[in-house]
């Protein structure tokens, strides 16, 4: 009796709770649908209908598929096949099958049962028409009612306090002023406050003391350095290409662009447009071009054997995926191979986004900063201004270059006007013009060699090959006039490397240091022919054939490195010699350069005319022999370019400009990688299963239908995409951005999955606050500093971080923000903090990357790249972490130990670990040992006796 009475009392006590639980309405969209998506959609969703059952369709789900048994019978759990399959002990029927999905827990099964008992509500607006919360544009909500109004300092606190009051929790008191200043300083500029700054703030009791400190820190140039670190993780910024070879690239100008943009509080929407499409803006500035380095951060594989098209496609996919992650908080990469399993994104839409990025040229060469070799990388690169003294030097050189280029263009235009007359004159002169082969009578050499006169009139040299030599050829020719001479340097199988020189098999070069000709008839004394206007089909740099007409033994005509093929040079006689009958010619070919650079086979010709065949290369002569009215536009343009090259003034200007360009390119950091658009867009195809070899239908640029529409006048290029992303009606851009900043200051985002705002991501803990922040950001011209000030001015931010026992059970992860943030410093700031307190930190804004001390032999990558790590000298070794060189295959080791990524991919949120390596780094790393010694010395000097 006592037991029955007790049991009855228990039932009476429990019944209200059971009734409350039974009557709580189950929401399909927020409770049931996520379970079905996570556990059932893979086989019974948009991409699969095993057994004819699909859980993304109400009609199909209730009907039950091929079995004919209704999967759901409203109000009747026992007649619902869904529940039977989830709870059966029969392995062959239980869902999901073993190994094909995560089983539902008891709570999830109970929730589905309760949903069915309540009638399995699946309202029409929830079938497919109802948008996911993140795809609805945010609107500014009303501030929620609260009771402790005096605690609040701005609107943020109303939303936080409302949740705390609903949970019956109190916020923490404000942190003491010294700790608060340290938190604020580390958060906004990444550096600790100085002792003087702490003392001044603690003593300042004025109402606006805190705000003035906030304004000072926001105005500091250190602000951009601190916040750039987080952005560079997103941009996968690094100073090397990645992969096994991991050659170096020069991209630090992009890092400086980010720092300067944050310091200037550039409107964030403009900041994004410039990075996605700065090169497509009207008359883009150098800064806007540099900004496009954001999407040049992708890794580049330059190893032998790499399929270049696969490499290119991978880079384009990376750009699409990073765009989705950074600006939309969306896992676009899930749609590379098929329609997105969980979010309303089709594979076709993925490749429509892909089309925006599919038009960048590839494979250009540029000289990198730290290695002497040339790397093949994706094109293009541009020159950028340099900091400090180099900036003045480069600016002066750039100004001089631009002035010279303008003069060259004027001179070129003047020469163009004379081209038609020159073209007609050369065409007339060619009539009857022909080269005549000389008849060799004698050959002699200063140094002993063997020679053979071949049937084609050429002379083949063999036997010993002395260091230097000089040949004398005596010949006869029957012409009326000697106006031009031609020397052919010919190949032969008996020569090293086939010639035409004799130096070696790998370098069959020659250098003709002097070339002279004299003529005589039977009745006349010998006469030297003065030659000028030398031409050649090819010559090495600084070894023009005209150099063989001067007295210098250290130059002449040479053909490095065009070996194994014939070459020619022509010389005009300044005063053509009239002759009668046979004329004796004496040719002297001197080769005094040394190192056995002598001719192996040659042939000589004369011409009675100074016409085009004597003055111009054969390919030009060939075009000039075509009647003018029959020449193609390409042939005529080729003649024009050749004619302009024959103008000494133009050639001299071009040579000077080439030297200036070479100097500009060799200055450190003179080049950075940027995006450019092809003149003609590539065709873009859907890639079946994401394979570059399996092309599907052709697609054109487009955006995600689930979001806001693309304006009708948007250009079909990256600029149009950038405008769509930054549009005010984009429901994701502002939310995703402010959520990342909230996470940086409070430890976690209002949406914990910062990279995923889709249906598989976490729902916001404070959705109204997230909307309010997004609208606040948008309505204040996308000002980063305005939003940061709003966040740090809140009472929520200023709370003490002291833990309270009641929060251990009720809010262990601080999702309700009943206390201040507690989180570890990023790797770079840990180092910056040590350098700052020791007095070693050097404040210099921007410039090439630096190399502080690190353990030996970290950079042992491949033999193809210079792996020398030369520690920076002077103050460079004490600069901030944001400037430390970032090599993907071997990042700075102390940063790695404190969870910094290698930046081979986009990283939204760094992990936070606690390992023995971190303690060992602080105890043994040279940087921290040196900082500790400097701090000790500083204390000895600064502390009173």
């Amino acid at each position: 009796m006592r037991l029955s009475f007790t049991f009855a009392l228990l039932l009476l006590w429990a019944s209200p709770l059971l009734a409350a639980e039974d009557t709580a309405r189950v929401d399909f969209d927020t409770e049931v649908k996520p379970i079905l998506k996570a556990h059932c959609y893979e086989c019974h969703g948009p991409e699969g209908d095993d057994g004819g059952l699909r859980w993304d369709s109400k009609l199909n789900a209730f009907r039950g598929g091929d079995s004919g048994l209704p999967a759901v019978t409203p109000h009747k759990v026992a007649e619902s096949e869904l529940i039977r399959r989830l709870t059966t002990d029969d392995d062959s029927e239980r869902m999901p099958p073993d190994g094909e999905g995560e089983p539902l827990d008891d709570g999830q099964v109970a929730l589905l049962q309760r949903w069915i008992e309540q009638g399995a509500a699946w309202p029409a607006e929830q079938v497919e028409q109802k948008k996911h919360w993140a795809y609805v544009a945010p609107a500014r909500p009303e501030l929620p009612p609260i009771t402790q109004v005096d605690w609040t300092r701005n609107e943020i606190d109303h939303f936080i306090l409302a949740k705390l009051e609903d949970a019956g929790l109190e916020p923490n008191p404000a942190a003491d002023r010294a700790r608060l200043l340290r938190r604020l300083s580390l958060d906004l500029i990444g550096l600790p406050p100085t002792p003087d700054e702490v003392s001044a703030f603690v003593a300042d009791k004025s109402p606006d003391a805190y705000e003035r400190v906030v304004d000072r820190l926001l105005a500091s140039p250190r602000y951009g350095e601190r916040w750039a670190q987080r952005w560079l993780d997103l941009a996968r910024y690094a100073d090397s290409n990645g992969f096994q070879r991991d050659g170096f690239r020069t991209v630090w100008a992009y890092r400086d662009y980010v720092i300067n943009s944050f310091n200037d509080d550039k409107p964030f929407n403009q900041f994004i447009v410039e990075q996605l499409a700065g090169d497509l803006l009207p008359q883009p500035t150098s800064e806007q071009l540099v900004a496009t380095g954001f999407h040049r951060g992708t890794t580049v594989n330059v190893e032998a054997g790499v399929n270049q098209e696969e490499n290119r496609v991978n880079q384009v996919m990376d750009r699409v995926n990073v765009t989705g992650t950074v600006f939309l908080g969306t896992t676009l990469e899930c749609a590379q191979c098929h329609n997105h399993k969980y979010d309303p994104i089709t594979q076709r839409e993925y490749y429509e986004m892909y089309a925006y990025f599919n038009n960048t040229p590839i494979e250009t060469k540029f000289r990198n900063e730290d290695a002497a070799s040339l790397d093949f990388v994706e094109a293009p690169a541009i020159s950028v201004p340099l900091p400090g003294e180099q900036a003045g030097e480069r600016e002066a050189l750039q100004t001089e270059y631009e002035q010279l280029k303008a003069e060259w263009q004027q001179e070129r235009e003047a020469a163009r006007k004379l081209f038609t007359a020159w073209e007609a004159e050369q065409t007339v002169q060619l009539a009857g013009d022909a080269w005549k082969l000389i008849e060799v009578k004698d050959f002699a050499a200063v140094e002993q060699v063997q020679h053979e006169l071949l049937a084609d009139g050429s002379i083949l040299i063999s036997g010993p090959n002395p260091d230097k030599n000089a040949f004398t050829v005596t010949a006869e020719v029957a012409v009326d006039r000697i106006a031009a001479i031609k020397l052919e340097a010919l190949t032969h199988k008996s020569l090293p490397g086939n010639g035409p020189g004799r130096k070696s098999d790998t370098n069959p070069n020659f250098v003709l240091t002097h070339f002279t000709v004299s003529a005589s008839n039977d009745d006349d004394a010998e006469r030297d022919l003065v030659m000028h206007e030398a031409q050649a089909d090819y010559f090495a740099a600084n070894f023009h054939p005209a150099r063989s007409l001067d007295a210098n033994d250290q130059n002449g005509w040479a053909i490095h490195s065009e070996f194994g093929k014939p070459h020619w040079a022509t010389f005009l006689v300044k005063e053509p010699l009239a002759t009668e009958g046979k004329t004796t010619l004496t040719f002297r070919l001197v080769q005094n350069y040394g190192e056995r650079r002598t001719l192996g086979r040659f042939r000589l010709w004369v011409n009675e005319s100074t016409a085009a065949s004597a003055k111009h290369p054969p390919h030009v002569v060939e075009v000039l022999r075509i009647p003018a009215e029959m020449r193609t536009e390409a042939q005529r343009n080729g003649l024009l370019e050749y004619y302009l090259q024959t103008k000494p003034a133009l050639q001299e200007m071009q040579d000077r400009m080439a030297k200036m360009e070479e100097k500009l390119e060799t200055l450190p950091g003179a080049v950075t990688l940027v995006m450019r658009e092809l003149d003609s867009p590539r065709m873009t195809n859907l890639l079946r299963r994401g394979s570059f070899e399996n092309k599907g239908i052709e697609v054109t640029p487009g955006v995600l239908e689930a979001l806001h529409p693309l304006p009708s006048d948007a250009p079909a290029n990256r600029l149009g995409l950038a405008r769509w992303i930054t549009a005010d009606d984009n429901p994701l851009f502002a939310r995703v951005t402010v959520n990342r900043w909230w996470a940086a200051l409070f430890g976690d985002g209002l949406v914990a999955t910062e990279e995923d705002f889709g249906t598989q991501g976490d729902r916001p803990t404070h959705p109204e606050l997230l909307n309010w922040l997004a609208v606040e950001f948008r309505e204040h011209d996308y000002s980063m500093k305005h939003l940061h000030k709003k966040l740090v001015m809140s009472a929520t931010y200023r709370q003490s971080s002291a833990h309270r026992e009641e929060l251990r059970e009720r809010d262990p992860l601080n999702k309700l923000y009943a206390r201040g943030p507690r989180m570890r410093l990023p790797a770079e700031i840990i180092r910056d903090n040590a350098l700052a307190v020791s007095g070693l930190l050097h404040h210099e804004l921007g410039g090439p990357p630096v190399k502080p001390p690190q353990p030996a032999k970290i950079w042992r990558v491949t033999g193809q790249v210079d792996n020398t790590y030369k520690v920076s000298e002077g103050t460079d070794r004490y600069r901030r972490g944001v400037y430390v060189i970032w090599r993907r295959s071997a990042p700075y080791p102390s940063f790695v130990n404190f969870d910094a990524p290698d930046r081979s991919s986009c990283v939204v949120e760094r992990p936070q670990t606690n390992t023995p390596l971190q303690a060992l780094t602080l105890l043994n790393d040279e940087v921290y040992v040196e900082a500790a010694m400097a701090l000790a010395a500083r204390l000895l000097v600064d502390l009173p006796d």
Side-chain angles (χ1 to χ4, degrees), residues 36 284 356 419 440 471 609 646 650 680:
L36 298 176
Y356 284 114
F419 167 68
V440 176
F471 305 149
S609 171
T646 64
L650 283 172
S680 299

Side-chain angles (χ1 to χ4, degrees), residues 548-590:
S548 64
L549 302 179
D550 60 29
N552 190 344
D553 278 345
Q554 294 306 306
N555 57 36
W557 180 37
I559 49 90
H560 188 280
S561 57
E562 290 290 309
F563 308 134
K565 57 183 71 173
H567 297 284
W568 56 262
T570 60
F571 307 84
L572 299 186
V573 178
K574 198 166 189 178
E575 296 181 3
L577 177 66
T579 60
E580 293 183 5
K582 285 194 173 183
T583 300
T584 300
L585 297 175
T586 303
F587 300 89
R588 186 166 174 81
L589 293 77
V590 181

Side-chain angles (χ1 to χ4, degrees), residues 831 834-835 838 840 851-856 869 871-872 877-878 892-894 897 919-934:
R831 176 180 173 275
L835 293 176
S838 67
L840 293 175
K851 298 175 182 174
Q854 70 174 21
Y869 188 90
V871 175
S872 297
R877 68 188 278 149
Y878 305 121
Y892 190 58
S894 79
N897 288 344
L920 290 171
T921 298
L922 296 178
L923 287 170
N924 296 290
D925 187 280
E926 183 176 347
V927 170
Y928 294 102
V929 172
E930 187 176 3
M933 294 172 64

Side-chain angles (χ1 to χ4, degrees), residues 718-846:
R718 284 179 283 111
L719 182 58
L721 176 65
R723 299 293 189 202
W724 176 78
I725 286 175
T726 57
D728 286 350
D729 57 348
N730 185 339
L732 288 171
F733 171 62
R735 278 193 182 116
V736 169
T737 302
V738 299
N739 185 67
R740 275 200 303 267
W741 292 336
W742 181 278
L745 294 171
F746 291 94
D748 281 310
L750 295 170
V751 176
T753 51
E754 297 175 48
E755 75 288 351
D756 187 3
F757 275 51
T759 58
Q760 295 301 101
D762 289 356
R763 293 180 64 83
T765 57
H766 297 70
E768 295 81 7
L769 173 58
L770 181 62
N771 286 345
W772 189 93
L773 291 171
V775 175
E776 179 76 3
F777 179 46
R778 185 183 70 205
E779 292 184 353
H780 283 81
D781 298 323
Y782 294 94
S783 169
M784 178 177 177
K785 288 187 177 181
H786 170 80
L787 197 82
H788 284 184
K789 181 175 180 178
K790 184 69 72 171
L791 294 174
V792 300
M793 289 296 294
S794 67
T796 305
Y797 176 81
R798 300 192 217 186
Q799 292 178 95
S800 164
S801 60
H803 193 71
R804 308 199 316 259
E805 190 60 35
E806 65 175 316
L807 299 179
R808 187 183 303 278
E809 296 295 332
R810 307 201 44 196
D811 188 21
L813 300 179
N814 200 31
K815 295 291 187 182
L816 296 176
Y817 303 101
R819 58 175 173 82
R822 304 178 70 171
M823 51 192 173
R824 303 181 65 133
L825 295 176
E828 298 92 324
I829 296 181
I830 293 174
R831 176 180 173 275
D832 293 347
N833 186 72
L835 293 176
V837 298
S838 67
L840 293 175
L841 184 64
H842 176 64
H843 292 297
E844 180 183 341
L845 201 66

Side-chain angles (χ1 to χ4, degrees), residues 125-198:
E125 66 271 17
Q126 289 183 325
V127 178
E128 290 300 333
Q129 288 75 18
K130 184 176 180 180
K131 281 191 173 183
H132 177 57
W133 68 267
Y135 302 153
V136 179
R140 189 185 291 274
E142 296 290 332
L143 297 183
I146 55 175
T147 58
Q148 303 178 59
V149 178
D150 291 345
W151 179 80
T152 64
R153 293 184 180 271
N154 64 24
E155 299 88 342
I156 293 171
D157 301 325
H158 285 257
F159 295 99
I160 296 298
L161 189 58
K163 286 271 189 179
L164 289 175
E165 290 182 344
D166 286 346
L169 294 173
E170 294 283 337
N172 259 4
D176 67 75
R177 293 174 76 84
R179 285 185 173 85
L180 180 58
L181 180 61
R182 176 174 171 79
R183 177 193 301 171
L184 182 69
S185 186
L186 287 169
D187 278 346
L188 291 186
I189 65 172
L191 296 173
T194 66
D196 289 343
E197 289 170 343
V198 174

